[in-house]
């Protein structure tokens, strides 16, 4: 009823006032489930968020008060959105709360799966929120420690391809072996999932001259050839340079921001032949 709704929203208003005035500088206000009310009017979200911004001028607010505000929060999949966004994922793909090791083990993600999620977030210029579901005593579940420690070590070597502002791109279509992230200018990072034992990687669709290619971890130069849209990275090590998770990152620097034409839209790029005829 209307009176109960007003008591409830007044209570929430004062909770937020306390949070915004009693705990120093607050960076993010992250609302969760907006049910049962179906509109921002029902939650009095506009008035509350205006109050929050007056008290914390530098705060950012997510999109779960039935208003878009500063950033989106896709949940259960790392899916890029327009504007700023943060994918919300659980470590075991099953539950936000605590599960004992026997329950969680069949669903727990390994380091490679987590790095793939990081890649999709970086490639879409987003962020990854990864929940682990602490045990009842606040401890970290045992099955999460090794994968997360491995990812941490991996990030120490390849953080340049992950951290900081990244730009959305369509470049991940360039190779079945790789994901991508892009600095928004002239540098593209190839995140390699399956290291080829043939000694080379072929990527297609880039119409901009390549300036240099290196292994990101240690800066080792990579030989390459470029013919039209096709780049061939040559004389690669037989095994992946990454000994942590088997996911190496290659750094490609172009003369200019790379122009990319996906072959499905430009059939003439296939070996110089127009396959549409």
């Amino acid at each position: 009823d209307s009176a109960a709704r007003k008591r409830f929203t007044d209570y929430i208003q004062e909770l937020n006032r306390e949070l915004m005035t009693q705990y120093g500088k607050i960076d993010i206000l992250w609302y969760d489930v907006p049910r049962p009310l179906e509109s921002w009017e029902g939650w009095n979200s506009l008035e509350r968020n205006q109050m929050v911004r007056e008290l914390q001028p530098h705060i950012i607010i997510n999109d779960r008060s039935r208003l878009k505000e500063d950033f989106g929060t896709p949940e259960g999949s790392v899916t890029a959105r327009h504007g700023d966004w943060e994918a919300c994922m659980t470590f075991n793909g099953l539950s936000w709360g605590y599960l004992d090791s026997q329950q969680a083990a069949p669903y727990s993600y390994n380091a490679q799966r987590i790095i793939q999620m990081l890649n999709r977030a970086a490639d879409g210029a987003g962020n990854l929120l990864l929940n682990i579901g602490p045990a009842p005593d606040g401890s970290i579940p045992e099955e999460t420690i090794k994968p997360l420690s491995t990812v941490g070590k991996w990030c120490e070597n390849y953080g340049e391809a992950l951290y900081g502002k990244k730009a959305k791109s369509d470049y991940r279509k360039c190779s079945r072996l790789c994901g991508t992230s892009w600095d928004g200018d002239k540098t593209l990072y190839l995140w390699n999932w399956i290291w080829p034992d043939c000694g080379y990687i072929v990527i297609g669709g880039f119409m901009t001259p390549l300036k240099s290619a290196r292994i990101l971890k240690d800066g080792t130069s990579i030989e390459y050839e470029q013919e039209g849209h096709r780049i061939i990275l040559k004389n690669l090590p037989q095994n992946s340079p990454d000994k942590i998770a088997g996911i190496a990152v290659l750094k490609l620097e172009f003369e200019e921001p790379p122009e990319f034409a996906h072959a499905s839209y430009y059939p003439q790029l296939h070996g110089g032949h127009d396959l549409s005829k």
Side-chain angles (χ1 to χ4, degrees):
D1 69 54
S2 296
R5 186 196 68 84
K6 186 175 187 309
R7 288 195 302 272
F8 187 49
T9 55
D10 287 349
Y11 174 67
I12 294 172
Q13 181 89 352
E14 294 311 308
L15 281 179
N16 278 274
R17 187 187 305 278
E18 179 179 338
L19 289 170
M20 299 301 144
T21 57
Q22 301 298 316
Y23 297 90
K25 184 176 182 294
I26 306 297
D27 297 308
I28 300 173
L29 175 56
W30 210 104
Y31 292 111
D32 198 5
V33 181
R35 293 191 294 268
L37 301 174
E38 298 299 325
S39 69
W40 61 264
E41 292 96 339
W43 282 111
N44 291 352
S45 298
L46 182 62
E47 293 84 354
R48 183 168 58 258
N49 290 351
Q50 286 176 334
M51 175 198 74
V52 166
R53 293 188 189 281
E54 288 176 2
L55 297 173
Q56 297 280 345
H58 298 96
I59 202 167
I60 59 174
I61 302 175
N62 76 346
D63 63 346
R64 298 197 181 191
S65 62
R66 302 294 189 193
L67 291 170
K68 288 184 177 181
E69 294 296 350
D70 298 309
F71 65 101
T73 53
E75 185 168 328
S77 67
V78 186
T79 305
R81 291 190 176 183
H82 294 294
D84 294 325
W85 60 278
E86 175 179 77
C88 312
M89 304 293 290
T90 64
F91 183 84
N92 52 45
L94 181 67
S95 171
W96 290 97
Y98 170 71
L99 293 175
D100 63 39
S101 295
Q102 185 175 0
Q103 290 176 298
Y107 304 95
S108 295
Y109 292 159
N110 59 24
Q112 289 77 12
R113 179 71 179 274
I114 297 170
I115 294 170
Q116 288 178 347
M117 287 193 287
L118 288 171
N119 171 247
R120 294 191 69 87
D123 184 70
N127 189 50
L128 177 66
L129 180 157
L130 183 62
N131 171 76
I132 60 170
D137 63 0
S139 62
I140 303 301
E142 184 68 28
E143 64 271 10
T144 70
I145 295 174
K146 183 177 179 180
L148 291 176
S149 297
T150 300
V151 172
K153 293 175 183 176
W154 187 91
C155 290
E156 289 178 359
N157 288 314
Y158 302 107
E160 180 182 332
L162 172 64
Y163 296 122
K165 186 171 178 60
K166 296 291 183 285
K168 292 185 179 73
S169 79
D170 197 33
Y171 299 139
R172 68 184 302 112
K173 299 175 182 177
C174 72
S175 172
R176 295 178 184 177
L177 302 179
C178 300
T180 60
S181 56
W182 181 43
D183 72 351
D185 191 18
K186 301 176 184 180
T187 302
L188 181 72
Y189 302 94
L190 291 183
W191 303 41
N192 177 266
W193 314 130
I194 305 172
W195 191 259
D197 57 10
C198 59
Y200 63 88
I201 293 175
V202 179
I203 57 177
F206 288 96
M207 313 304 293
T208 306
L210 183 63
K211 183 178 179 181
S212 69
R214 299 182 181 278
I215 296 173
L216 180 59
K217 178 181 177 180
D218 56 14
T220 300
S221 294
I222 299 172
E223 295 181 47
Y224 66 89
E225 293 180 4
Q226 185 168 9
E227 300 175 356
H229 69 90
R230 184 178 288 110
I231 296 172
I232 304 172
L233 305 176
K234 306 190 307 177
N235 297 324
L236 298 173
Q238 185 171 3
N239 299 312
S240 173
D242 179 56
K243 308 305 179 185
I244 300 171
I247 300 175
V249 179
L250 310 181
K251 180 177 180 179
L252 306 183
E253 293 188 79
F254 291 84
E255 297 285 352
E256 297 177 351
E259 179 185 354
F260 182 73
H262 187 228
S264 63
Y265 299 102
Y266 297 91
Q268 69 274 15
L269 295 180
H270 284 289
H273 301 289
D274 187 347
L275 300 183
S276 65
K277 294 181 180 179

